[in-house]
């Protein structure tokens, strides 16, 4: 009799636990379904023909002669855009321009400038007049090797150069193209940040911080101008097999720049902030959701210390 009374007493609590469990299970199921549908929409269906000459004839790419920048120029030309190519070497610009013209039968223009200098923007503004519909802010530099802040060679000039190339260029190029985009209520700006801007990265601290700026700048500006028909996307790739990363052999998680860019362009208009490539998106999700930030910083410090030691040992052997 007494045990029956205990059971009756516990029944409301059991029911409550059951319904809480059922609610949590249903919520998780709905969240998982939403993630699957969203992932299918982004990584399988893509954005269709959003990035096409329907936006306008011309696309502008900075840092257009190597790596990801060159691949953006090639992919956009393949899609029918005429290309304005901006980089430091006129010789390399001419080579890329000739290749695009012969392969894709598009018009090209070039501007040779050094983004480490602050006085280049009047020249760029004159060259851009009337051309911009898509801007890819890709130009950027990183460290020669991971290093402690005070041990960076020629630190004062290094700081100025890094800020001019990685931060000032993004702000100034956006300043030049945004008024015409706003006037036409149409345009796309892709700002190439880096996954290292998602968290502090010791021994690459200045680079990581400049890329975090690009991410925050892009997302804030997108909120300002999205309602005006302008897409401003923050792109945060992990490792891509380029000269800058010194990765020679592509793998599933370290794709060729061509493969990365083709995947990334299909996310435009679907994601305001993107890792651009499905394996990178999985890696970004794991780091952002599951990995404690202190663990990420600790692992980054350990990895970069190891790379620093290897680089310095190789220098001594030369």
């Amino acid at each position: 009799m007494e045990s029956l009374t205990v059971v009756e007493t516990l029944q409301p609590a059991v029911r409550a636990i059951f319904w809480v469990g059922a609610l949590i299970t249903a919520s998780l199921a709905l969240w998982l379904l939403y993630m699957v549908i969203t992932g299918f929409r982004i990584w399988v269906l893509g954005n269709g023909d959003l990035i096409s000459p329907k936006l306008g004839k011309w696309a502008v790419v900075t840092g257009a002669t190597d790596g990801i920048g060159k691949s953006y120029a090639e992919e956009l030309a393949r899609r029918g855009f005429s290309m304005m190519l901006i980089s430091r070497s006129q010789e390399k610009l001419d080579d890329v321009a000739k290749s695009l013209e012969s392969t894709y039968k598009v018009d090209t223009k070039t501007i040779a400038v050094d983004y480490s200098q602050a006085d280049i923007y009047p020249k760029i503004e004159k060259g851009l007049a009337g051309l911009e519909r898509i801007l890819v802010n890709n130009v950027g530099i990183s460290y020669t090797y991971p290093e402690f802040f005070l041990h960076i060679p020629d630190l004062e000039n290094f700081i100025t150069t890094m800020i001019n190339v990685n931060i000032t260029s993004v702000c100034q190029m956006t300043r030049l193209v945004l008024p015409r985009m706003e006037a036409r209520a149409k345009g796309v700006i892709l700002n190439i940040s880096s996954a290292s801007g998602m968290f502090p990265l010791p021994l690459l601290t200045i680079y990581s911080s400049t890329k975090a700026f690009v991410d925050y700048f892009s997302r804030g500006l997108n909120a300002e101008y999205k309602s005006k028909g302008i897409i401003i996307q923050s792109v945060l790739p992990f490792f891509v097999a380029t000269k800058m990363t010194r990765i020679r052999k592509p793998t599933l998680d370290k794709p060729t720049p061509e493969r990365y860019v083709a995947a990334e362009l299909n996310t435009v208009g679907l994601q305001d902030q993107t890792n651009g490539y499905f394996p990178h998106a999985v890696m970004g999700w794991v780091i952002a959701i599951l990995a404690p930030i202190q663990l990420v910083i600790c692992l980054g410090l350990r990895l970069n210390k190891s790379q620093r030691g290897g680089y310095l040992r190789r220098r001594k052997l030369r």
Side-chain angles (χ1 to χ4, degrees), residues 65-304:
T65 55
D66 289 298
I68 289 178
K70 183 179 179 183
S71 292
Y72 268 108
E74 290 172 342
E75 178 63 21
L76 290 169
R78 186 188 70 79
R79 296 185 182 208
F81 288 94
S82 295
M83 297 303 306
M84 167 60 83
L85 309 171
I86 307 178
S87 196
R88 184 171 54 182
S89 168
Q90 186 63 59
E91 183 179 356
K92 287 185 176 181
L93 284 168
D94 291 342
D95 288 343
V96 174
K98 289 176 183 176
S99 174
L100 297 181
E101 289 173 0
S102 63
T103 304
Y104 302 107
K105 312 304 178 186
V106 297
D107 295 329
T108 64
K109 294 179 181 290
T110 65
I111 303 175
V113 291
D114 182 352
Y115 276 102
S116 68
Q117 305 302 310
D119 59 354
I120 61 175
Y121 295 98
K123 177 181 179 180
I124 295 174
E125 183 174 19
K126 183 178 179 181
L128 287 182
L131 301 184
E132 62 277 357
R133 292 298 181 273
I134 291 181
L135 168 64
V136 182
N137 273 319
N138 166 75
V139 67
I141 57 171
S142 186
Y143 288 43
T144 303
Y145 66 98
E147 184 56 280
F148 291 92
F149 180 72
L150 290 179
H151 294 173
I152 296 171
D154 195 14
L155 178 58
E156 183 177 358
N157 287 331
F158 182 87
I159 292 170
T160 301
T161 299
M162 185 75 71
I163 290 173
N164 281 345
V165 176
N166 289 3
I167 292 179
T168 303
S169 68
V170 174
C171 296
Q172 292 284 18
M173 291 298 297
T174 301
R175 174 184 67 85
L176 294 179
V177 306
L178 198 54
R180 293 181 67 86
M181 291 182 177
E182 184 179 28
R184 290 169 172 75
K186 185 185 294 186
V188 173
I189 299 175
L190 307 181
N191 291 329
I192 312 305
S193 177
S194 167
S196 66
M198 297 170 62
F199 44 82
L201 192 57
L203 275 71
L204 295 175
T205 302
I206 305 176
Y207 176 74
S208 174
S209 301
T210 61
K211 291 303 184 178
F213 172 88
V214 173
D215 178 45
Y216 275 55
F217 175 78
S218 304
R219 289 190 284 155
L221 212 61
N222 184 66
E224 294 179 31
Y225 286 92
K226 194 171 186 177
S227 63
K228 300 181 179 183
I230 301 167
I231 297 171
I232 301 169
Q233 187 187 49
S234 174
V235 183
L236 302 102
F238 282 83
F239 286 118
V240 177
T242 65
K243 289 181 181 178
M244 184 173 174
T245 61
R246 300 183 181 87
I247 296 172
R248 297 180 180 180
K249 187 176 180 180
T251 60
L252 178 63
D253 64 321
K254 301 176 183 68
T256 63
E258 294 83 5
R259 186 174 183 183
Y260 179 84
V261 167
E264 194 287 316
L265 284 174
N266 283 328
T267 72
V268 178
L270 302 178
Q271 290 185 302
D272 299 335
Q273 180 195 43
T274 184
N275 294 116
Y277 173 65
F278 181 68
H280 288 190
V282 174
M283 294 160 63
W285 182 84
V286 169
I287 290 174
I289 304 298
L290 300 181
I293 186 63
Q294 289 304 322
L295 175 61
V296 175
I297 294 173
C298 181
L299 291 175
L301 177 61
R302 181 177 298 179
L303 174 64
N304 284 335

